[in-house]
Each structure stands twice: as C-alpha cells, then as structure tokens.
C-alpha cells in the first residue's frame, strides 16, 4: 500500500504515510482518537468509526462497492444443496456454520441479516452458535477442510482465491449469493481542510476519482484494490448498514 501513499503524496503535495493496523477494532479506535486521517473501512466498521468521530465524511468507494455481495459456501461432503431462494437458507439450521470476523460487513453483518430474514437465528446452528474464523480466507479454508459444513464470505475474496487456484471445486462450492449492498469506502476526518488547507478534502476526493489504468502506478493501485476505478460516495449510503448493525448489537 506504500505505492498508494506515494501517489497521494505526489498528487496532494503533502507527506502521506501508510500505517497498517492489526484488526477492525484497532482501525476504528485509531480513527476515533485522531491517529489516522484517512482509513479504508468496510461498511460496518466505517459506520462505527464515523458515528464515534464528529464531522467525519465518506469520500469515495470502488466501482464494485455500490453493488457488493457475499457468498455462502458449503463443503461437498455435507448434505447442503444449492439455494435458489433466500427462504431456503433455513436448510442451514443444525449445520456447523462459520462467519469471518465478528465485525466484518461481508463476512458477518450482511450474511447474518439475510439468515435472519429467512428465519435463521445464531442459536439455530449446530452447538447453539456459529463459528467466527477471523477472516474471509480462514472461512474458506475451514469449510474446504470440512471443519465447518458451511460459511459466508466476501464474494471478491472467493473469486480471487478461485483465480489463484486456492479453491478445490471437488471440496467446496457456492450455494448462494446475496443481494447487493454498499460496502468498503474511504472515510476521512472532518478537519482535513483546517489541518492542511482550504478545499483539501475535495482535492483528496478528486484524486481518488481521477485514478485510471493509463497511469502505471494508478493501475497498480486499482489492481491492489480489485477495482477499475473509484467513484463518489456519501454517508447516507450506509444508513441500511447502520440500521442492521444496531439491530444485531454491533452499533450501540
């Protein structure tokens, strides 16, 4: 991601430094305390961070983020069949099922939302609760190995693993793809114009929107993010995520 910080430094004429964080909660905390000016958040964690940080603003998202999807996968040795209708998610009752991280939008929040719509509660899984693998890749590994009969993960991660040959179709397959929802986005502190210069927030947004594949460096950045381009976004796009987050207790 240093290639991105380098490009932003050059375009904005301010020093931009990439600071990795260990997990979802750490990113939210670092943003709330002002230790980070700009963060690439998933839908849920972005809402959590924004609600805790007055004036913060959603700037942009990838072209794929306004119509994002999760996929439900199953181990081939399970008795689980492909699902054609959301109500058929109830066939997962009594199964060994895992989500990804507890705070993941595509690996937990939205999959749980669709399960709830089908009448499936967390207590309905085998053992009285689901697993939480910690990441999309881990969910795939656990279901493919048979440790869990089924799980839910980010569609983009599934497709990426498929392309890289990390999915064994004889062991794991997609049973259902969710309807679309808004997900990942860039969230900025509300004080950037004051901290840097007047109009800086718009300049930053415009830089993201200008990224294209004609520039070698920008093409590399877009590939890193799995996108063709970045598009404009806004706080209001995440009202549904906030509502669901409150309903399942991930937003107080």
């Amino acid at each position: 991601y240093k290639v991105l910080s380098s490009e932003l430094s050059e375009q904005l004429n301010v020093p931009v430094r990439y600071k990795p964080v260990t997990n979802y909660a750490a990113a939210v905390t670092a943003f709330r305390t002002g230790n980070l000016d700009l963060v690439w958040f998933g839908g849920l964690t972005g809402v959590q961070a924004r609600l805790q940080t007055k004036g913060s603003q959603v700037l942009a998202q990838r072209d794929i983020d306004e119509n994002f999807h999760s996929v439900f996968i199953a181990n081939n040795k399970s008795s689980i069949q492909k699902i054609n209708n959301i109500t058929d998610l109830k066939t997962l009752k009594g199964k060994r099922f895992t989500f990804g991280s507890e705070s993941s939008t595509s690996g937990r929040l939205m999959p749980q939302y669709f399960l709830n719509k089908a009448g499936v509660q967390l207590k309905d899984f085998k053992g009285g609760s689901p697993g939480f693998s910690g990441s999309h890749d881990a969910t795939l590994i656990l279901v493919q190995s048979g440790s869990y009969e089924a799980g839910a993960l980010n569609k983009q991660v599934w497709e990426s693993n498929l392309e890289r040959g990390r999915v064994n179709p004889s062991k794991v397959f997609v049973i259902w793809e969710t309807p679309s929802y808004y997900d990942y986005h860039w969230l900025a502190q509300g004080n950037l114009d004051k901290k840097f210069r007047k109009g800086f927030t718009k300049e930053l947004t415009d830089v993201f929107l200008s990224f294209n594949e004609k520039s070698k460096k920008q093409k590399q950045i877009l590939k890193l993010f799995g996108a063709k381009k970045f598009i404009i976004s806004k706080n209001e796009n995440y009202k549904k995520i906030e509502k669901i987050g409150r309903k399942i207790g991930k937003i107080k």
Side-chain angles (χ1 to χ4, degrees), residues 89-100:
L89 285 172
K90 60 182 179 288
T91 60
L92 296 175
K93 286 184 178 183
K95 304 296 183 185
R96 299 191 312 278
F97 184 90
T98 186
F99 293 111

Side-chain angles (χ1 to χ4, degrees), residues 224-247:
L224 181 67
F225 280 84
K228 295 288 185 188
K229 62 180 178 178
F230 285 101
I231 60 174
I232 198 80
S233 192
K234 55 187 178 180
N235 297 2
E236 290 72 28
N237 288 344
Y238 295 88
K239 284 186 180 296
K240 183 177 181 180
I241 296 285
E242 180 182 345
K243 186 178 178 182
I244 297 167
R246 290 186 187 282
K247 190 174 181 181

Side-chain angles (χ1 to χ4, degrees), residues 15-243:
V16 178
R17 187 158 55 98
Y18 167 57
K19 292 181 72 174
V21 287
T22 53
N23 54 44
Y24 289 101
V28 173
T29 300
F31 190 80
R32 186 187 69 238
T33 56
N35 288 328
L36 295 173
D37 294 309
L38 177 73
V39 176
W40 177 245
F41 277 119
L44 175 60
T45 42
V47 171
Q48 290 172 330
R50 181 163 51 81
L51 293 175
Q52 294 174 36
T53 315
K54 190 176 179 182
S56 55
Q57 187 179 335
V58 174
L59 302 184
Q61 60 189 177
R62 299 170 303 181
D63 48 356
I64 61 175
D65 287 311
E66 61 179 350
N67 289 295
F68 208 77
H69 301 265
S70 298
V71 290
F72 282 67
I73 59 173
N75 186 281
N76 278 5
K77 289 185 178 177
S78 70
S79 59
I80 301 167
Q81 303 296 312
K82 282 208 168 189
I83 290 170
N84 298 315
N85 191 299
I86 187 173
T87 57
D88 292 336
L89 285 172
K90 60 182 179 288
T91 60
L92 296 175
K93 286 184 178 183
K95 304 296 183 185
R96 299 191 312 278
F97 184 90
T98 186
F99 293 111
S101 165
E102 290 192 47
S103 295
S104 170
T105 307
S106 52
R108 187 272 173 90
L109 181 85
M110 296 310 294
Q112 183 176 338
Y113 167 72
F114 292 116
L115 284 162
N116 290 166
K117 281 191 80 171
V120 183
Q121 305 302 319
L122 299 191
K123 62 180 175 56
D124 294 330
F125 295 118
K126 191 167 185 176
S129 64
F132 288 99
S133 71
S135 74
H136 302 290
D137 289 319
T139 296
L140 171 58
I141 291 166
L142 289 169
V143 176
Q144 184 161 270
S145 70
S147 297
Y148 285 90
E149 293 171 279
L153 70 154
N154 175 322
K155 181 186 176 184
Q156 187 191 28
V157 174
W158 165 263
E159 290 181 340
S160 173
N161 277 284
L162 204 57
E163 286 170 16
R164 294 176 185 178
R166 294 175 181 171
V167 174
N168 185 336
S170 69
K171 292 183 177 180
V172 65
F173 67 107
V174 172
I175 56 171
W176 189 65
E177 182 178 309
T178 69
S180 65
Y181 53 87
Y182 286 100
D183 200 353
Y184 296 87
H185 55 276
W186 286 108
L187 184 68
Q189 294 283 358
N191 66 348
L192 298 189
D193 286 14
K194 188 176 180 181
K195 187 172 182 178
F196 296 101
R197 57 181 176 264
K198 189 177 179 181
F200 184 84
T201 304
K202 185 179 184 305
E203 286 179 47
L204 174 59
T205 305
D206 288 344
V207 168
F208 280 119
L209 301 183
S210 71
F211 281 1
N212 63 80
E213 296 183 330
K214 291 176 184 176
S215 157
K216 188 178 178 182
K217 196 190 278 189
Q218 291 175 10
K219 184 178 181 179
Q220 188 181 347
I221 293 164
L222 291 169
K223 186 179 180 183
L224 181 67
F225 280 84
K228 295 288 185 188
K229 62 180 178 178
F230 285 101
I231 60 174
I232 198 80
S233 192
K234 55 187 178 180
N235 297 2
E236 290 72 28
N237 288 344
Y238 295 88
K239 284 186 180 296
K240 183 177 181 180
I241 296 285
E242 180 182 345
K243 186 178 178 182

